[in-house]
Amino acid sequence: MAVNRDDTTMKEEYLCLGLMSGTSLDGVDLCLARFRPGSWEDFEIVEAETRGYPDSWRARLKGAFEASGGDSEELVQLHEDYGTYLGKLVKSFLSDRGVDGVDLIASHGHTVHHRPDLGLTRQVGSGKAICEETGVTVVSNFREQDVKLGGQGAPLVPIGDELLFKGYEVCLNLGGIANLSFSSEGKRLAFDIVPVNLVLNHYAVSKLGLPYDDGGSTAREGDLVPALLDVLNALEFYDKALGPKSLGYEFVVDTIFPLLENSGVSSTADVLRTFTEHAACQIAKTLKGTGKSRVLVTGGGAYNTFLVERIRTLSGFDEVCVPDPEIVEFKEALIFGLLGVLRLEGINNCLSSVTGAQRDHCSGDLHQK
């Protein structure tokens, strides 16, 4: 447990706005929350909203993945422009709700490159630009320091799972990529498991003309293709049952999409059915490997009732719990707000047991007016 500072030195309460943009490119999650140091589980979500991306920004962020080099002129400009965009988004969000001021903005940014094996991770969205636009203290760039310390730079939410959601043994996030965290022998462990919404939403958009497969209804109607399922389940990434390990958009583009597109399966429903089964298989296998059974499920995939049903069935766990929509949709933004508060207080917010870094550390770039 990395909280290593006397709680009596802290402010009694922080009002913090957490910002999160995930790999699925749905939009920016904004979560305004109160945190009470020393009683972290007594947090309060004050306001929360997802602001969808206009087509121009969705295309620009998606295209950044293919930009050449981590410091190309195009990426540098995107970093600044996106920071300014986030700053304007924050001002609009707070103004709409009549909020005069906050103590802190904690911004994850948007990941455009994640190759920790090469010592590289890049999240665009300049914290300095957000600070200049809003006049509020900003913490950003949470992942880079961890990679420099030999870690995966992901996942970063486990310390939030530990502090905020003590009533659950496992926290499972079904986002663009599924990941989980749990405690074992006094340490928090966490890692990525399998792509989920990155793949399912891609097929819903490109083949069905829908933003997502609502409730997994199309997948439910499809037929399972055993040969394709076997190939997916045999991918090398899944050989390592427990972490630290992480996935990025690169894995989906370089491995998953070519495999699905060259599989000879022409029915979109069958592809969705088979990939849903693959995701459920990998998640269930991992859950059983933790030795834990009370599971909190969040992220957009928590609304995929077919996927959640398959996870329950394949894991044999009855307590796979989907909480209130506010927690489902904004848990990551909430926790990045917490990470920002921990950074401001000088408390370790990255756990080496999770990321594989050389040591626990306090990460994030601090920007103040």
Side-chain angles (χ1 to χ4, degrees):
M1 195 55 232
V3 174
N4 57 4
R5 184 173 170 182
D6 183 352
D7 286 351
T8 62
T9 67
M10 303 178 189
K11 284 185 62 173
E12 183 175 330
E13 182 178 280
Y14 286 91
L15 182 62
C16 180
L17 180 61
L19 309 180
M20 179 68 197
S21 175
T23 48
S24 55
L25 280 171
D26 296 331
V28 180
D29 292 338
L30 302 98
C31 183
L32 182 65
R34 297 187 192 280
F35 297 102
R36 299 173 178 88
S39 300
W40 299 105
E41 68 275 17
D42 294 331
F43 68 89
E44 175 192 359
I45 295 179
V46 179
E47 299 280 356
E49 181 184 353
T50 298
R51 294 281 179 102
Y53 284 120
D55 290 343
S56 58
W57 267 111
R58 185 176 292 108
R60 197 173 173 191
L61 291 170
K62 188 174 183 180
F65 169 73
E66 300 172 354
S68 58
D71 292 312
S72 70
E73 183 177 343
E74 181 182 355
L75 271 181
V76 170
Q77 189 62 54
L78 175 63
H79 184 58
E80 294 301 318
D81 291 349
Y82 185 57
T84 300
Y85 171 78
L86 290 176
K88 292 181 183 300
L89 211 62
V90 165
K91 289 197 297 184
S92 173
F93 174 84
L94 296 176
S95 175
D96 288 350
R97 287 157 177 77
V99 178
D100 292 331
V102 297
D103 295 312
L104 178 69
I105 297 168
S107 177
H108 169 267
H110 185 83
T111 299
V112 294
H113 293 295
H114 185 67
R115 289 294 304 272
D117 55 316
L118 301 178
L120 172 67
T121 188
R122 181 66 183 268
Q123 288 73 45
V124 294
S126 165
K128 180 181 178 182
I130 299 172
C131 179
E132 289 176 347
E133 185 68 32
T134 63
V136 177
T137 297
V138 174
V139 179
S140 63
N141 193 26
F142 288 93
R143 299 186 188 274
E144 184 177 16
Q145 179 172 284
D146 191 79
V147 172
K148 287 181 177 178
L149 288 171
Q152 293 283 313
L156 296 185
V157 299
I159 193 168
D161 293 341
E162 179 87 353
L163 293 175
L164 303 182
F165 300 102
K166 294 181 178 179
Y168 295 91
E169 294 179 300
V170 180
C171 289
L172 172 65
N173 174 56
L174 299 179
I177 293 168
N179 54 61
L180 58 66
S181 83
F182 62 100
S183 292
S184 177
E185 298 180 351
K187 291 184 176 181
R188 196 76 186 182
L189 302 179
F191 44 87
D192 290 341
I193 305 171
V194 62
V196 179
N197 295 339
L198 268 176
V199 177
L200 299 179
N201 290 357
H202 169 79
Y203 275 86
V205 170
S206 63
K207 303 296 185 181
L208 303 176
L210 300 171
Y212 51 86
D213 180 18
D214 189 13
S217 58
T218 301
R220 190 188 294 273
E221 295 171 359
D223 292 325
L224 185 66
V225 182
L228 176 57
L229 178 63
D230 289 345
V231 172
L232 288 165
N233 284 338
L235 289 171
E236 183 179 357
F237 178 81
Y238 307 123
D239 291 345
K240 185 178 181 182
L242 301 180
K245 58 180 182 175
S246 64
L247 284 170
Y249 186 54
E250 294 87 345
F251 177 75
V252 174
V253 171
D254 297 340
T255 302
I256 299 296
F257 285 160
L259 196 158
L260 295 177
E261 289 161 7
N262 296 321
S263 66
V265 179
S266 58
S267 165
T268 298
D270 293 354
V271 170
L272 289 172
R273 172 67 180 90
T274 303
F275 194 84
T276 297
E277 188 74 7
H278 163 61
C281 283
Q282 295 304 322
I283 292 166
K285 179 179 75 173
T286 304
L287 286 174
K288 288 190 285 187
T290 69
K292 314 287 184 179
S293 61
R294 182 165 173 76
V295 184
L296 176 71
V297 183
T298 57
Y303 293 127
N304 187 326
T305 52
F306 181 57
L307 172 60
V308 174
E309 285 171 16
R310 295 304 300 149
I311 293 170
R312 285 196 181 107
T313 298
L314 293 172
S315 68
F317 293 169
D318 293 327
E319 290 188 281
V320 177
C321 309
V322 178
D324 293 338
E326 201 170 49
I327 298 296
V328 170
E329 295 168 22
F330 298 103
K331 175 171 169 274
E332 284 192 282
L334 169 73
I335 290 179
F336 270 94
L338 172 68
L339 295 181
V341 172
L342 295 176
R343 168 64 182 87
L344 200 61
E345 285 289 336
I347 298 170
N348 288 341
N349 57 9
C350 286
L351 305 179
S352 58
S353 62
V354 166
T355 68
Q358 297 166 12
R359 55 179 171 81
D360 294 351
H361 57 102
C362 183
S363 186
D365 295 343
L366 185 62
H367 303 274
Q368 296 174 305
K369 289 289 283 186

